[in-house]
Amino acid sequence: MSDALLSISNLVMRFGGIHALNSVSFDLKQGEITSLIGPNGAGKTTLFNCVTGMYMPTSGAVTFKGKDITGMAAYDIARQGIARTFQNLALFGGLTVLENLMTGAYLQGSSGLLQGIFNSRKARQENSKATHAALEILSFLGMEDTQNLLPSELSYGMQKQVEFGRALMQKSELILLDEPMAGMSSKEKSHMSELIQRVRHSMNITFLVVEHDIPVVMDISDKIVVLDFGQKISEGQPSQVQNDPAVIAAYLGSSH
């Protein structure tokens, strides 16, 4: 039996005559950080969307903890234990930082709409639990003093950290991070890298990361998968991928 937490097998995604993904296969092991890299348009976000139920793959399979989740609805996949962040921020502008994190606890709630409307005892208990969990996450992120601010009052890098915190609130086993360092200063990137490593070790969470900052990728990754024009062209440890001629050609061009 495979020891993979997530298996992507011969994944194909076509948009008309365009192959966004062409027979892509790789595995993620529990507790590891795998980075997915490649030039713009290589198919990285398309793969994320196939894994998280936003796209129905043309063919192939996505297996999580031995269960075929291919084509499941996004909310069902989230319930299986997979969370994600987005390339473009998806925070609620009218909610405070604390409230944005609390929305990530919806999977743990069971009180329902009516009990929420009438503020039942169960709804109040769940709200109190979510508030406590959100405050713990903010403390973990070192952002306790931002809890009552709106996202617009934070820097872009800090907004990215809020979205990361909301993903942690889902208590998932696998988190997909889509360009978590985009728009960050060098100091913010270093802080986010440390956070990802701390979460991996303290919470045993597995990560699949799309990121364009190659030094960051080389620093945090146990394994790197490289896509180019929808095809996997390389897979291995950072040192192996960094020296792969196919990867160098994809990023820098080939003399041919």
Side-chain angles (χ1 to χ4, degrees), residues 44-83:
K44 304 181 296 294
T45 297
T46 297
L47 188 141
F48 267 32
N49 289 338
C50 290
V51 170
T52 57
M54 300 187 75
Y55 290 164
M56 174 66 183
T58 306
S59 62
V62 180
T63 306
F64 182 63
K65 296 194 295 186
K67 181 176 181 178
D68 188 349
I69 62 169
T70 315
M72 274 189 183
Y75 55 84
D76 282 331
I77 289 176
R79 289 193 178 101
Q80 299 298 316
I82 299 176

PDB file of all heavy atoms in Angstrom, residues 44-83:
ATOM      1  N   LYS A  44      -0.175  25.271 -12.675  1.00  0.00           N
ATOM      2  CA  LYS A  44      -0.085  25.077 -11.225  1.00  0.00           C
ATOM      3  C   LYS A  44      -1.418  25.339 -10.521  1.00  0.00           C
ATOM      4  O   LYS A  44      -1.894  24.507  -9.748  1.00  0.00           O
ATOM      5  CB  LYS A  44       1.014  25.983 -10.658  1.00  0.00           C
ATOM      6  CG  LYS A  44       2.387  25.787 -11.305  1.00  0.00           C
ATOM      7  CD  LYS A  44       3.439  26.685 -10.709  1.00  0.00           C
ATOM      8  CE  LYS A  44       3.192  28.157 -10.933  1.00  0.00           C
ATOM      9  NZ  LYS A  44       3.285  28.541 -12.370  1.00  0.00           N
ATOM     10  N   THR A  45      -2.021  26.493 -10.774  1.00  0.00           N
ATOM     11  CA  THR A  45      -3.296  26.808 -10.128  1.00  0.00           C
ATOM     12  C   THR A  45      -4.401  25.907 -10.658  1.00  0.00           C
ATOM     13  O   THR A  45      -5.326  25.538  -9.910  1.00  0.00           O
ATOM     14  CB  THR A  45      -3.650  28.297 -10.331  1.00  0.00           C
ATOM     15  OG1 THR A  45      -2.657  29.103  -9.686  1.00  0.00           O
ATOM     16  CG2 THR A  45      -5.003  28.630  -9.724  1.00  0.00           C
ATOM     17  N   THR A  46      -4.329  25.516 -11.918  1.00  0.00           N
ATOM     18  CA  THR A  46      -5.300  24.561 -12.464  1.00  0.00           C
ATOM     19  C   THR A  46      -5.250  23.258 -11.688  1.00  0.00           C
ATOM     20  O   THR A  46      -6.293  22.668 -11.356  1.00  0.00           O
ATOM     21  CB  THR A  46      -5.013  24.292 -13.954  1.00  0.00           C
ATOM     22  OG1 THR A  46      -5.172  25.504 -14.695  1.00  0.00           O
ATOM     23  CG2 THR A  46      -5.963  23.241 -14.517  1.00  0.00           C
ATOM     24  N   LEU A  47      -4.057  22.796 -11.357  1.00  0.00           N
ATOM     25  CA  LEU A  47      -3.924  21.569 -10.564  1.00  0.00           C
ATOM     26  C   LEU A  47      -4.540  21.753  -9.183  1.00  0.00           C
ATOM     27  O   LEU A  47      -5.266  20.879  -8.695  1.00  0.00           O
ATOM     28  CB  LEU A  47      -2.457  21.164 -10.464  1.00  0.00           C
ATOM     29  CG  LEU A  47      -2.203  19.794  -9.824  1.00  0.00           C
ATOM     30  CD1 LEU A  47      -1.068  19.064 -10.534  1.00  0.00           C
ATOM     31  CD2 LEU A  47      -1.875  19.920  -8.336  1.00  0.00           C
ATOM     32  N   PHE A  48      -4.271  22.895  -8.541  1.00  0.00           N
ATOM     33  CA  PHE A  48      -4.904  23.195  -7.248  1.00  0.00           C
ATOM     34  C   PHE A  48      -6.425  23.107  -7.365  1.00  0.00           C
ATOM     35  O   PHE A  48      -7.101  22.541  -6.505  1.00  0.00           O
ATOM     36  CB  PHE A  48      -4.510  24.605  -6.796  1.00  0.00           C
ATOM     37  CG  PHE A  48      -3.304  24.647  -5.897  1.00  0.00           C
ATOM     38  CD1 PHE A  48      -2.274  23.737  -6.018  1.00  0.00           C
ATOM     39  CD2 PHE A  48      -3.179  25.631  -4.931  1.00  0.00           C
ATOM     40  CE1 PHE A  48      -1.157  23.788  -5.193  1.00  0.00           C
ATOM     41  CE2 PHE A  48      -2.078  25.695  -4.094  1.00  0.00           C
ATOM     42  CZ  PHE A  48      -1.061  24.770  -4.229  1.00  0.00           C
ATOM     43  N   ASN A  49      -6.967  23.701  -8.423  1.00  0.00           N
ATOM     44  CA  ASN A  49      -8.419  23.718  -8.594  1.00  0.00           C
ATOM     45  C   ASN A  49      -8.994  22.327  -8.819  1.00  0.00           C
ATOM     46  O   ASN A  49     -10.127  22.046  -8.394  1.00  0.00           O
ATOM     47  CB  ASN A  49      -8.800  24.641  -9.754  1.00  0.00           C
ATOM     48  CG  ASN A  49      -8.593  26.110  -9.421  1.00  0.00           C
ATOM     49  OD1 ASN A  49      -8.553  26.493  -8.257  1.00  0.00           O
ATOM     50  ND2 ASN A  49      -8.465  26.946 -10.442  1.00  0.00           N
ATOM     51  N   CYS A  50      -8.232  21.450  -9.453  1.00  0.00           N
ATOM     52  CA  CYS A  50      -8.673  20.062  -9.630  1.00  0.00           C
ATOM     53  C   CYS A  50      -8.657  19.302  -8.308  1.00  0.00           C
ATOM     54  O   CYS A  50      -9.560  18.518  -8.015  1.00  0.00           O
ATOM     55  CB  CYS A  50      -7.792  19.348 -10.656  1.00  0.00           C
ATOM     56  SG  CYS A  50      -8.015  19.898 -12.361  1.00  0.00           S
ATOM     57  N   VAL A  51      -7.630  19.540  -7.501  1.00  0.00           N
ATOM     58  CA  VAL A  51      -7.513  18.844  -6.213  1.00  0.00           C
ATOM     59  C   VAL A  51      -8.616  19.286  -5.256  1.00  0.00           C
ATOM     60  O   VAL A  51      -9.172  18.470  -4.512  1.00  0.00           O
ATOM     61  CB  VAL A  51      -6.126  19.100  -5.581  1.00  0.00           C
ATOM     62  CG1 VAL A  51      -6.078  18.578  -4.142  1.00  0.00           C
ATOM     63  CG2 VAL A  51      -5.028  18.438  -6.406  1.00  0.00           C
ATOM     64  N   THR A  52      -8.963  20.576  -5.286  1.00  0.00           N
ATOM     65  CA  THR A  52      -9.903  21.123  -4.299  1.00  0.00           C
ATOM     66  C   THR A  52     -11.349  21.174  -4.788  1.00  0.00           C
ATOM     67  O   THR A  52     -12.210  21.727  -4.103  1.00  0.00           O
ATOM     68  CB  THR A  52      -9.473  22.534  -3.864  1.00  0.00           C
ATOM     69  OG1 THR A  52      -9.367  23.388  -5.014  1.00  0.00           O
ATOM     70  CG2 THR A  52      -8.135  22.488  -3.144  1.00  0.00           C
ATOM     71  N   GLY A  53     -11.630  20.597  -5.940  1.00  0.00           N
ATOM     72  CA  GLY A  53     -13.015  20.467  -6.380  1.00  0.00           C
ATOM     73  C   GLY A  53     -13.576  21.661  -7.115  1.00  0.00           C
ATOM     74  O   GLY A  53     -14.778  21.712  -7.393  1.00  0.00           O
ATOM     75  N   MET A  54     -12.743  22.623  -7.458  1.00  0.00           N
ATOM     76  CA  MET A  54     -13.232  23.777  -8.210  1.00  0.00           C
ATOM     77  C   MET A  54     -13.307  23.469  -9.705  1.00  0.00           C
ATOM     78  O   MET A  54     -14.072  24.108 -10.432  1.00  0.00           O
ATOM     79  CB  MET A  54     -12.335  24.985  -7.954  1.00  0.00           C
ATOM     80  CG  MET A  54     -12.283  25.374  -6.484  1.00  0.00           C
ATOM     81  SD  MET A  54     -11.407  26.915  -6.150  1.00  0.00           S
ATOM     82  CE  MET A  54     -12.617  28.105  -6.725  1.00  0.00           C
ATOM     83  N   TYR A  55     -12.498  22.514 -10.162  1.00  0.00           N
ATOM     84  CA  TYR A  55     -12.574  22.007 -11.528  1.00  0.00           C
ATOM     85  C   TYR A  55     -12.808  20.504 -11.488  1.00  0.00           C
ATOM     86  O   TYR A  55     -12.301  19.815 -10.592  1.00  0.00           O
ATOM     87  CB  TYR A  55     -11.269  22.246 -12.298  1.00  0.00           C
ATOM     88  CG  TYR A  55     -10.949  23.668 -12.670  1.00  0.00           C
ATOM     89  CD1 TYR A  55      -9.653  24.003 -13.068  1.00  0.00           C
ATOM     90  CD2 TYR A  55     -11.905  24.682 -12.635  1.00  0.00           C
ATOM     91  CE1 TYR A  55      -9.318  25.310 -13.408  1.00  0.00           C
ATOM     92  CE2 TYR A  55     -11.581  25.978 -12.977  1.00  0.00           C
ATOM     93  CZ  TYR A  55     -10.291  26.288 -13.364  1.00  0.00           C
ATOM     94  OH  TYR A  55      -9.959  27.573 -13.710  1.00  0.00           O
ATOM     95  N   MET A  56     -13.548  20.009 -12.464  1.00  0.00           N
ATOM     96  CA  MET A  56     -13.690  18.571 -12.665  1.00  0.00           C
ATOM     97  C   MET A  56     -12.655  18.156 -13.714  1.00  0.00           C
ATOM     98  O   MET A  56     -12.727  18.598 -14.869  1.00  0.00           O
ATOM     99  CB  MET A  56     -15.102  18.236 -13.160  1.00  0.00           C
ATOM    100  CG  MET A  56     -15.296  16.782 -13.537  1.00  0.00           C
ATOM    101  SD  MET A  56     -15.174  15.687 -12.093  1.00  0.00           S
ATOM    102  CE  MET A  56     -15.365  14.079 -12.897  1.00  0.00           C
ATOM    103  N   PRO A  57     -11.656  17.354 -13.354  1.00  0.00           N
ATOM    104  CA  PRO A  57     -10.633  16.973 -14.331  1.00  0.00           C
ATOM    105  C   PRO A  57     -11.234  16.259 -15.533  1.00  0.00           C
ATOM    106  O   PRO A  57     -12.242  15.552 -15.414  1.00  0.00           O
ATOM    107  CB  PRO A  57      -9.724  16.029 -13.536  1.00  0.00           C
ATOM    108  CG  PRO A  57     -10.011  16.294 -12.104  1.00  0.00           C
ATOM    109  CD  PRO A  57     -11.437  16.724 -12.037  1.00  0.00           C
ATOM    110  N   THR A  58     -10.601  16.431 -16.675  1.00  0.00           N
ATOM    111  CA  THR A  58     -11.035  15.718 -17.874  1.00  0.00           C
ATOM    112  C   THR A  58     -10.837  14.214 -17.696  1.00  0.00           C
ATOM    113  O   THR A  58     -11.685  13.410 -18.082  1.00  0.00           O
ATOM    114  CB  THR A  58     -10.245  16.215 -19.099  1.00  0.00           C
ATOM    115  OG1 THR A  58     -10.371  17.639 -19.194  1.00  0.00           O
ATOM    116  CG2 THR A  58     -10.745  15.560 -20.378  1.00  0.00           C
ATOM    117  N   SER A  59      -9.725  13.839 -17.092  1.00  0.00           N
ATOM    118  CA  SER A  59      -9.465  12.434 -16.760  1.00  0.00           C
ATOM    119  C   SER A  59      -8.377  12.385 -15.691  1.00  0.00           C
ATOM    120  O   SER A  59      -7.781  13.393 -15.331  1.00  0.00           O
ATOM    121  CB  SER A  59      -9.042  11.627 -17.996  1.00  0.00           C
ATOM    122  OG  SER A  59      -7.828  12.126 -18.536  1.00  0.00           O
ATOM    123  N   GLY A  60      -8.134  11.172 -15.198  1.00  0.00           N
ATOM    124  CA  GLY A  60      -7.167  10.996 -14.128  1.00  0.00           C
ATOM    125  C   GLY A  60      -7.852  10.941 -12.779  1.00  0.00           C
ATOM    126  O   GLY A  60      -9.095  10.997 -12.687  1.00  0.00           O
ATOM    127  N   ALA A  61      -7.066  10.822 -11.715  1.00  0.00           N
ATOM    128  CA  ALA A  61      -7.630  10.643 -10.374  1.00  0.00           C
ATOM    129  C   ALA A  61      -6.847  11.414  -9.325  1.00  0.00           C
ATOM    130  O   ALA A  61      -5.635  11.588  -9.429  1.00  0.00           O
ATOM    131  CB  ALA A  61      -7.655   9.163 -10.013  1.00  0.00           C
ATOM    132  N   VAL A  62      -7.583  11.872  -8.299  1.00  0.00           N
ATOM    133  CA  VAL A  62      -7.001  12.479  -7.109  1.00  0.00           C
ATOM    134  C   VAL A  62      -7.447  11.637  -5.922  1.00  0.00           C
ATOM    135  O   VAL A  62      -8.651  11.457  -5.691  1.00  0.00           O
ATOM    136  CB  VAL A  62      -7.456  13.935  -6.916  1.00  0.00           C
ATOM    137  CG1 VAL A  62      -6.826  14.525  -5.655  1.00  0.00           C
ATOM    138  CG2 VAL A  62      -7.102  14.780  -8.139  1.00  0.00           C
ATOM    139  N   THR A  63      -6.478  11.101  -5.181  1.00  0.00           N
ATOM    140  CA  THR A  63      -6.778  10.227  -4.043  1.00  0.00           C
ATOM    141  C   THR A  63      -6.215  10.840  -2.773  1.00  0.00           C
ATOM    142  O   THR A  63      -5.048  11.232  -2.727  1.00  0.00           O
ATOM    143  CB  THR A  63      -6.162   8.827  -4.260  1.00  0.00           C
ATOM    144  OG1 THR A  63      -6.597   8.309  -5.519  1.00  0.00           O
ATOM    145  CG2 THR A  63      -6.597   7.873  -3.154  1.00  0.00           C
ATOM    146  N   PHE A  64      -7.061  10.935  -1.734  1.00  0.00           N
ATOM    147  CA  PHE A  64      -6.651  11.505  -0.450  1.00  0.00           C
ATOM    148  C   PHE A  64      -6.905  10.486   0.651  1.00  0.00           C
ATOM    149  O   PHE A  64      -8.030  10.023   0.821  1.00  0.00           O
ATOM    150  CB  PHE A  64      -7.430  12.793  -0.179  1.00  0.00           C
ATOM    151  CG  PHE A  64      -7.041  13.498   1.096  1.00  0.00           C
ATOM    152  CD1 PHE A  64      -5.764  13.993   1.272  1.00  0.00           C
ATOM    153  CD2 PHE A  64      -7.966  13.673   2.116  1.00  0.00           C
ATOM    154  CE1 PHE A  64      -5.403  14.646   2.446  1.00  0.00           C
ATOM    155  CE2 PHE A  64      -7.626  14.327   3.291  1.00  0.00           C
ATOM    156  CZ  PHE A  64      -6.331  14.811   3.443  1.00  0.00           C
ATOM    157  N   LYS A  65      -5.841  10.108   1.348  1.00  0.00           N
ATOM    158  CA  LYS A  65      -5.920   9.088   2.407  1.00  0.00           C
ATOM    159  C   LYS A  65      -6.580   7.806   1.887  1.00  0.00           C
ATOM    160  O   LYS A  65      -7.381   7.183   2.566  1.00  0.00           O
ATOM    161  CB  LYS A  65      -6.656   9.628   3.629  1.00  0.00           C
ATOM    162  CG  LYS A  65      -5.954  10.786   4.317  1.00  0.00           C
ATOM    163  CD  LYS A  65      -6.520  11.078   5.678  1.00  0.00           C
ATOM    164  CE  LYS A  65      -7.948  11.568   5.606  1.00  0.00           C
ATOM    165  NZ  LYS A  65      -8.458  11.980   6.941  1.00  0.00           N
ATOM    166  N   GLY A  66      -6.238   7.455   0.657  1.00  0.00           N
ATOM    167  CA  GLY A  66      -6.742   6.222   0.062  1.00  0.00           C
ATOM    168  C   GLY A  66      -8.130   6.314  -0.535  1.00  0.00           C
ATOM    169  O   GLY A  66      -8.635   5.335  -1.094  1.00  0.00           O
ATOM    170  N   LYS A  67      -8.760   7.492  -0.465  1.00  0.00           N
ATOM    171  CA  LYS A  67     -10.123   7.664  -0.973  1.00  0.00           C
ATOM    172  C   LYS A  67     -10.100   8.510  -2.238  1.00  0.00           C
ATOM    173  O   LYS A  67      -9.457   9.558  -2.294  1.00  0.00           O
ATOM    174  CB  LYS A  67     -11.004   8.340   0.088  1.00  0.00           C
ATOM    175  CG  LYS A  67     -12.444   8.545  -0.344  1.00  0.00           C
ATOM    176  CD  LYS A  67     -13.270   9.139   0.798  1.00  0.00           C
ATOM    177  CE  LYS A  67     -14.725   9.326   0.398  1.00  0.00           C
ATOM    178  NZ  LYS A  67     -15.548   9.857   1.511  1.00  0.00           N
ATOM    179  N   ASP A  68     -10.808   8.055  -3.263  1.00  0.00           N
ATOM    180  CA  ASP A  68     -10.896   8.797  -4.517  1.00  0.00           C
ATOM    181  C   ASP A  68     -11.791  10.014  -4.309  1.00  0.00           C
ATOM    182  O   ASP A  68     -12.987   9.879  -4.042  1.00  0.00           O
ATOM    183  CB  ASP A  68     -11.467   7.900  -5.618  1.00  0.00           C
ATOM    184  CG  ASP A  68     -11.397   8.540  -7.002  1.00  0.00           C
ATOM    185  OD1 ASP A  68     -11.111   9.751  -7.094  1.00  0.00           O
ATOM    186  OD2 ASP A  68     -11.655   7.837  -8.002  1.00  0.00           O
ATOM    187  N   ILE A  69     -11.222  11.218  -4.425  1.00  0.00           N
ATOM    188  CA  ILE A  69     -12.001  12.443  -4.249  1.00  0.00           C
ATOM    189  C   ILE A  69     -12.181  13.188  -5.571  1.00  0.00           C
ATOM    190  O   ILE A  69     -12.647  14.330  -5.584  1.00  0.00           O
ATOM    191  CB  ILE A  69     -11.348  13.369  -3.206  1.00  0.00           C
ATOM    192  CG1 ILE A  69      -9.947  13.804  -3.650  1.00  0.00           C
ATOM    193  CG2 ILE A  69     -11.296  12.689  -1.833  1.00  0.00           C
ATOM    194  CD1 ILE A  69      -9.351  14.918  -2.789  1.00  0.00           C
ATOM    195  N   THR A  70     -11.831  12.548  -6.672  1.00  0.00           N
ATOM    196  CA  THR A  70     -11.907  13.187  -7.980  1.00  0.00           C
ATOM    197  C   THR A  70     -13.333  13.655  -8.263  1.00  0.00           C
ATOM    198  O   THR A  70     -14.283  12.878  -8.214  1.00  0.00           O
ATOM    199  CB  THR A  70     -11.484  12.214  -9.089  1.00  0.00           C
ATOM    200  OG1 THR A  70     -10.305  11.526  -8.704  1.00  0.00           O
ATOM    201  CG2 THR A  70     -11.258  12.946 -10.402  1.00  0.00           C
ATOM    202  N   GLY A  71     -13.468  14.940  -8.554  1.00  0.00           N
ATOM    203  CA  GLY A  71     -14.775  15.457  -8.937  1.00  0.00           C
ATOM    204  C   GLY A  71     -15.733  15.725  -7.793  1.00  0.00           C
ATOM    205  O   GLY A  71     -16.870  16.146  -8.017  1.00  0.00           O
ATOM    206  N   MET A  72     -15.313  15.489  -6.547  1.00  0.00           N
ATOM    207  CA  MET A  72     -16.171  15.832  -5.408  1.00  0.00           C
ATOM    208  C   MET A  72     -16.387  17.344  -5.370  1.00  0.00           C
ATOM    209  O   MET A  72     -15.571  18.124  -5.845  1.00  0.00           O
ATOM    210  CB  MET A  72     -15.506  15.421  -4.085  1.00  0.00           C
ATOM    211  CG  MET A  72     -15.732  14.001  -3.662  1.00  0.00           C
ATOM    212  SD  MET A  72     -15.081  13.814  -1.965  1.00  0.00           S
ATOM    213  CE  MET A  72     -15.379  12.071  -1.714  1.00  0.00           C
ATOM    214  N   ALA A  73     -17.503  17.759  -4.772  1.00  0.00           N
ATOM    215  CA  ALA A  73     -17.746  19.181  -4.573  1.00  0.00           C
ATOM    216  C   ALA A  73     -16.698  19.758  -3.634  1.00  0.00           C
ATOM    217  O   ALA A  73     -16.170  19.060  -2.765  1.00  0.00           O
ATOM    218  CB  ALA A  73     -19.144  19.393  -3.995  1.00  0.00           C
ATOM    219  N   ALA A  74     -16.411  21.042  -3.803  1.00  0.00           N
ATOM    220  CA  ALA A  74     -15.368  21.689  -3.005  1.00  0.00           C
ATOM    221  C   ALA A  74     -15.637  21.578  -1.506  1.00  0.00           C
ATOM    222  O   ALA A  74     -14.713  21.339  -0.716  1.00  0.00           O
ATOM    223  CB  ALA A  74     -15.246  23.160  -3.412  1.00  0.00           C
ATOM    224  N   TYR A  75     -16.902  21.730  -1.102  1.00  0.00           N
ATOM    225  CA  TYR A  75     -17.205  21.664   0.332  1.00  0.00           C
ATOM    226  C   TYR A  75     -17.011  20.256   0.880  1.00  0.00           C
ATOM    227  O   TYR A  75     -16.641  20.077   2.046  1.00  0.00           O
ATOM    228  CB  TYR A  75     -18.623  22.178   0.629  1.00  0.00           C
ATOM    229  CG  TYR A  75     -19.738  21.497  -0.131  1.00  0.00           C
ATOM    230  CD1 TYR A  75     -20.280  20.304   0.318  1.00  0.00           C
ATOM    231  CD2 TYR A  75     -20.252  22.067  -1.294  1.00  0.00           C
ATOM    232  CE1 TYR A  75     -21.310  19.679  -0.386  1.00  0.00           C
ATOM    233  CE2 TYR A  75     -21.276  21.459  -1.996  1.00  0.00           C
ATOM    234  CZ  TYR A  75     -21.803  20.261  -1.536  1.00  0.00           C
ATOM    235  OH  TYR A  75     -22.819  19.649  -2.244  1.00  0.00           O
ATOM    236  N   ASP A  76     -17.245  19.228   0.049  1.00  0.00           N
ATOM    237  CA  ASP A  76     -17.012  17.855   0.494  1.00  0.00           C
ATOM    238  C   ASP A  76     -15.527  17.568   0.634  1.00  0.00           C
ATOM    239  O   ASP A  76     -15.098  16.873   1.559  1.00  0.00           O
ATOM    240  CB  ASP A  76     -17.652  16.862  -0.484  1.00  0.00           C
ATOM    241  CG  ASP A  76     -19.156  16.741  -0.298  1.00  0.00           C
ATOM    242  OD1 ASP A  76     -19.612  16.942   0.845  1.00  0.00           O
ATOM    243  OD2 ASP A  76     -19.858  16.462  -1.277  1.00  0.00           O
ATOM    244  N   ILE A  77     -14.738  18.104  -0.290  1.00  0.00           N
ATOM    245  CA  ILE A  77     -13.285  17.915  -0.213  1.00  0.00           C
ATOM    246  C   ILE A  77     -12.736  18.619   1.022  1.00  0.00           C
ATOM    247  O   ILE A  77     -11.857  18.087   1.716  1.00  0.00           O
ATOM    248  CB  ILE A  77     -12.613  18.413  -1.502  1.00  0.00           C
ATOM    249  CG1 ILE A  77     -12.950  17.452  -2.661  1.00  0.00           C
ATOM    250  CG2 ILE A  77     -11.096  18.534  -1.327  1.00  0.00           C
ATOM    251  CD1 ILE A  77     -12.428  17.871  -4.004  1.00  0.00           C
ATOM    252  N   ALA A  78     -13.267  19.800   1.333  1.00  0.00           N
ATOM    253  CA  ALA A  78     -12.838  20.498   2.545  1.00  0.00           C
ATOM    254  C   ALA A  78     -13.137  19.649   3.774  1.00  0.00           C
ATOM    255  O   ALA A  78     -12.329  19.585   4.712  1.00  0.00           O
ATOM    256  CB  ALA A  78     -13.542  21.853   2.648  1.00  0.00           C
ATOM    257  N   ARG A  79     -14.275  18.977   3.784  1.00  0.00           N
ATOM    258  CA  ARG A  79     -14.638  18.126   4.925  1.00  0.00           C
ATOM    259  C   ARG A  79     -13.733  16.900   5.035  1.00  0.00           C
ATOM    260  O   ARG A  79     -13.609  16.317   6.107  1.00  0.00           O
ATOM    261  CB  ARG A  79     -16.099  17.687   4.808  1.00  0.00           C
ATOM    262  CG  ARG A  79     -17.105  18.795   5.057  1.00  0.00           C
ATOM    263  CD  ARG A  79     -18.519  18.245   5.235  1.00  0.00           C
ATOM    264  NE  ARG A  79     -19.461  19.308   5.529  1.00  0.00           N
ATOM    265  CZ  ARG A  79     -20.297  19.852   4.653  1.00  0.00           C
ATOM    266  NH1 ARG A  79     -20.306  19.413   3.403  1.00  0.00           N
ATOM    267  NH2 ARG A  79     -21.117  20.814   4.999  1.00  0.00           N
ATOM    268  N   GLN A  80     -13.104  16.502   3.930  1.00  0.00           N
ATOM    269  CA  GLN A  80     -12.189  15.366   3.975  1.00  0.00           C
ATOM    270  C   GLN A  80     -10.896  15.718   4.710  1.00  0.00           C
ATOM    271  O   GLN A  80     -10.179  14.834   5.173  1.00  0.00           O
ATOM    272  CB  GLN A  80     -11.842  14.897   2.554  1.00  0.00           C
ATOM    273  CG  GLN A  80     -13.016  14.432   1.712  1.00  0.00           C
ATOM    274  CD  GLN A  80     -13.726  13.230   2.294  1.00  0.00           C
ATOM    275  OE1 GLN A  80     -13.090  12.275   2.753  1.00  0.00           O
ATOM    276  NE2 GLN A  80     -15.047  13.265   2.277  1.00  0.00           N
ATOM    277  N   GLY A  81     -10.592  17.045   4.793  1.00  0.00           N
ATOM    278  CA  GLY A  81      -9.382  17.472   5.494  1.00  0.00           C
ATOM    279  C   GLY A  81      -8.387  18.204   4.621  1.00  0.00           C
ATOM    280  O   GLY A  81      -7.179  18.182   4.890  1.00  0.00           O
ATOM    281  N   ILE A  82      -8.888  18.896   3.560  1.00  0.00           N
ATOM    282  CA  ILE A  82      -8.023  19.665   2.676  1.00  0.00           C
ATOM    283  C   ILE A  82      -8.463  21.124   2.699  1.00  0.00           C
ATOM    284  O   ILE A  82      -9.635  21.433   2.485  1.00  0.00           O
ATOM    285  CB  ILE A  82      -8.069  19.133   1.225  1.00  0.00           C
ATOM    286  CG1 ILE A  82      -7.575  17.687   1.170  1.00  0.00           C
ATOM    287  CG2 ILE A  82      -7.243  20.019   0.299  1.00  0.00           C
ATOM    288  CD1 ILE A  82      -7.669  17.059  -0.211  1.00  0.00           C
ATOM    289  N   ALA A  83      -7.526  22.034   2.974  1.00  0.00           N
ATOM    290  CA  ALA A  83      -7.793  23.473   2.960  1.00  0.00           C
ATOM    291  C   ALA A  83      -6.880  24.125   1.932  1.00  0.00           C
ATOM    292  O   ALA A  83      -5.889  23.531   1.503  1.00  0.00           O
ATOM    293  CB  ALA A  83      -7.569  24.085   4.343  1.00  0.00           C
TER     294      ALA A  83
END
